Amino acid sequence: LYYQKYDSERGETVIVIPSAIPIVKSPDDDDRRVNHVGHPLAPPPPPAAALRPSPSSSSRSFGANSAKTLPRVTERRPNETGRGGKASDAGVKVALFGATGFLGRYVCSGLGANGVMTYIGSRTTEFEYRHLRPSFELGRAKHSFYSSRDRQSMADVIADADVVINLIGKYYDTKALEDTDKFPYLNYKVSTSMAEANVDVPRTIAELCKEMQVDNLIHVSSTAAGPDSASEWARTKFEGERAVLEAYPWATVVRPTQMFGHEDMLLNWFANMAEGVTKVVPLVDGGHALTQPVWVDDVARAINRIVDDPERFEGRRVDAFGPQDYSYAELARFVYDITGQEPRLIDMPAEVVKYAANVMQYEGRPNLTPDMVDLMSEDYLPEMTAEDYDKQTQVFTMKDLGVEATAIEKVAFKYLHRFRKGGHFILAQGYH
């Protein structure tokens, strides 16, 4: 039973439910519950995913003020156990694939800090994800083994989750030695290809979400994803994105640019290459291609904002990018200015760099592969400029989620100074 009433203080019509929280009716957004001080709360349970209308028919809108209406996830909510934040129960269950990757640990940190019950899928032993345990209160994270080729084991990870997040991705083919009958009696076989990790696995997750009527799916792709890219990684990321939306049209697709952070393969790549025996760092095609890196923690914060209000972002795309673009040559000089390393920076055509990449690709976690050379020869930028994103109404950005992009110079020194001889104690003055 309920009745409508005009609230003169808010200047809005509200639906009053006896012994419950009033629901504010707003023409610009979905029905949202608010507490007595006006803070938005989690929306009521949505209908089953398979019964929802197509995202194209959605009447959702957003604008410059949309970030102000997003919930503040670390505040205690009415009827929530605990004191708010990590020690509480947010009332949301999230299944997370790819938690042990670069972005995954930061997403886990945010989920744990907000009291979200998290089901973490892992293909390895418990020692591979033990670093994630401190992010959660005792009993707030469940670790489940799965195989990407065993559909039922992946369904077991999802279980009764409200939201599924897919962070799985691979930039190289995993290879392993196998015996053969002919000389040299050994052969490198591909155990997990980029196509399997970037296309087949996301498709399976999306199909399972639809079959199991999971409320929301968040899929992380890339701004470099495209059908015409020279990079196989970029092409498979695009195919994976299409496969997810075909199987689960309500999915939220997050497309970050290259991410930087303590464990990155961007700034650390330049520093590690300078530590090599030859002290030679190649600049592919002169290092003129542009990239607009984004801090990994900013992307993780954006994903956690989506988890806090997933219905708002159904069937939508969220582009995540940094505040400034750079050429790879500029990034190289920036890194060596911090580390004090003095490698030889050599301009090389992409085809010449691939000679070395063809050998280095057989390392356990290769620093350079032929496909990475192709990727570094192309611009890695968001689809539009920041001004154009502000003018359009189809794609969200981190700004719409209340996440301000962090400049690369604010973070880089924190993890690059370890490459200095003597660390950050050797300098008596200056930037240290």
Side-chain angles (χ1 to χ4, degrees):
L1 298 176
Y2 61 88
Y3 61 93
Q4 291 187 343
K5 168 182 156 182
Y6 181 77
D7 192 323
S8 58
E9 294 182 1
R10 294 194 185 99
E12 296 176 298
T13 301
V14 300
I15 294 178
V16 179
I17 304 175
S19 303
I21 302 171
I23 301 177
V24 177
K25 296 291 291 181
S26 172
D28 299 323
D29 198 4
D30 294 337
D31 298 347
R32 299 186 52 75
R33 293 178 292 165
V34 298
N35 60 21
H36 64 283
V37 294
H39 289 164
L41 303 178
L51 302 179
R52 291 186 199 152
S54 170
S56 59
S57 64
S58 173
S59 61
R60 301 183 194 281
S61 62
F62 71 96
N65 296 325
S66 63
K68 299 178 182 178
T69 65
L70 289 174
R72 284 176 274 186
V73 290
T74 56
E75 293 185 359
R76 186 180 186 279
R77 304 165 184 171
N79 303 320
E80 183 180 42
T81 59
R83 62 176 184 272
K86 186 173 182 178
S88 66
D89 179 0
V92 180
K93 297 175 182 177
V94 172
L96 181 60
F97 292 90
T100 56
F102 177 34
L103 176 59
R105 66 181 65 202
Y106 293 89
V107 173
C108 281
S109 178
L111 294 174
N114 297 328
V116 175
M117 180 65 187
T118 307
Y119 306 148
I120 299 176
S122 175
R123 297 186 300 155
T124 56
T125 67
E126 62 177 335
F127 297 104
E128 294 293 328
Y129 55 76
R130 61 182 177 179
H131 62 283
L132 302 176
R133 292 186 183 277
S135 298
F136 300 90
E137 285 288 308
L138 187 62
R140 301 302 300 162
K142 172 188 173 185
H143 299 268
S144 300
F145 175 82
Y146 78 96
S147 169
S148 58
R149 296 166 185 169
D150 182 352
R151 194 180 183 93
Q152 183 56 49
S153 68
M154 299 176 73
D156 292 341
V157 174
I158 296 174
D160 61 340
D162 304 305
V163 181
V164 173
I165 304 175
N166 175 42
L167 307 178
I168 292 176
K170 208 168 187 63
Y171 72 92
Y172 62 96
D173 292 336
T174 303
K175 296 181 174 67
L177 283 172
E178 67 174 351
D179 295 331
T180 60
D181 297 332
K182 299 180 181 180
F183 184 82
Y185 306 111
L186 289 175
N187 179 53
Y188 265 108
K189 69 173 182 179
V190 175
S191 56
T192 304
S193 67
M194 282 189 282
E196 180 179 358
N198 298 338
V199 182
D200 297 340
V201 174
R203 178 190 291 113
T204 300
I205 292 173
E207 290 173 350
L208 286 171
C209 286
K210 186 172 183 179
E211 292 171 10
M212 300 173 68
Q213 297 191 2
V214 175
D215 294 332
N216 302 98
L217 170 61
I218 302 171
H219 172 70
V220 176
S221 182
S222 170
T223 57
D228 302 321
S229 173
S231 165
E232 182 184 357
W233 176 84
R235 294 195 303 271
T236 56
K237 292 298 284 186
F238 175 81
E239 293 168 10
E241 185 180 319
R242 297 300 98 193
V244 166
L245 292 175
E246 182 179 345
Y248 192 99
W250 312 275
T252 301
V253 177
V254 180
R255 305 183 85 200
T257 54
Q258 278 180 300
M259 293 179 285
F260 67 90
H262 284 69
E263 307 86 6
D264 69 31
M265 281 286 290
L266 180 60
L267 304 186
N268 280 320
W269 184 87
F270 288 105
N272 285 323
M273 291 293 285
E275 294 285 289
V277 177
T278 62
K279 309 294 184 185
V280 172
V281 178
L283 294 177
V284 179
D285 293 334
H288 298 305
L290 297 176
T291 181
Q292 193 165 335
V294 59
W295 189 27
V296 63
D297 196 47
D298 287 341
V299 179
R301 287 171 57 204
I303 292 174
N304 276 281
R305 290 291 181 93
I306 297 171
V307 169
D308 198 54
D309 188 11
E311 283 194 293
R312 179 188 294 269
F313 306 98
E314 285 179 359
R316 288 298 187 84
R317 199 179 88 200
V318 180
D319 285 2
F321 48 89
Q324 179 65 46
D325 59 47
Y326 307 90
S327 69
Y328 287 102
E330 289 173 330
L331 285 180
R333 289 190 289 269
F334 170 72
V335 169
Y336 300 135
D337 183 55
I338 294 176
T339 64
Q341 296 167 304
E342 297 180 349
R344 289 189 296 164
L345 286 171
I346 301 179
D347 296 350
M348 292 186 183
E351 295 305 317
V352 175
V353 181
K354 284 185 180 181
Y355 285 116
N358 284 324
V359 176
M360 298 176 67
Q361 67 176 327
Y362 292 102
E363 296 175 340
R365 189 186 180 198
N367 270 329
L368 191 63
T369 67
D371 194 71
M372 289 177 63
V373 176
D374 288 330
L375 190 63
M376 294 173 71
S377 65
E378 299 178 339
D379 289 343
Y380 200 145
L381 299 171
E383 192 175 273
M384 296 173 269
T385 64
E387 294 75 16
D388 290 336
Y389 275 110
D390 290 338
K391 295 176 183 177
Q392 55 83 45
T393 58
Q394 298 301 315
V395 181
F396 284 92
T397 65
M398 294 194 304
K399 181 179 177 182
D400 296 305
L401 278 71
V403 178
E404 192 71 27
T406 303
I408 196 169
E409 58 268 20
K410 298 292 185 181
V411 180
F413 180 80
K414 295 179 181 179
Y415 62 94
L416 290 179
H417 69 75
R418 71 181 186 273
F419 290 97
R420 285 182 171 182
K421 294 179 181 179
H424 64 283
F425 298 103
I426 198 169
L427 298 181
Q429 60 184 1
Y431 184 42
H432 66 285

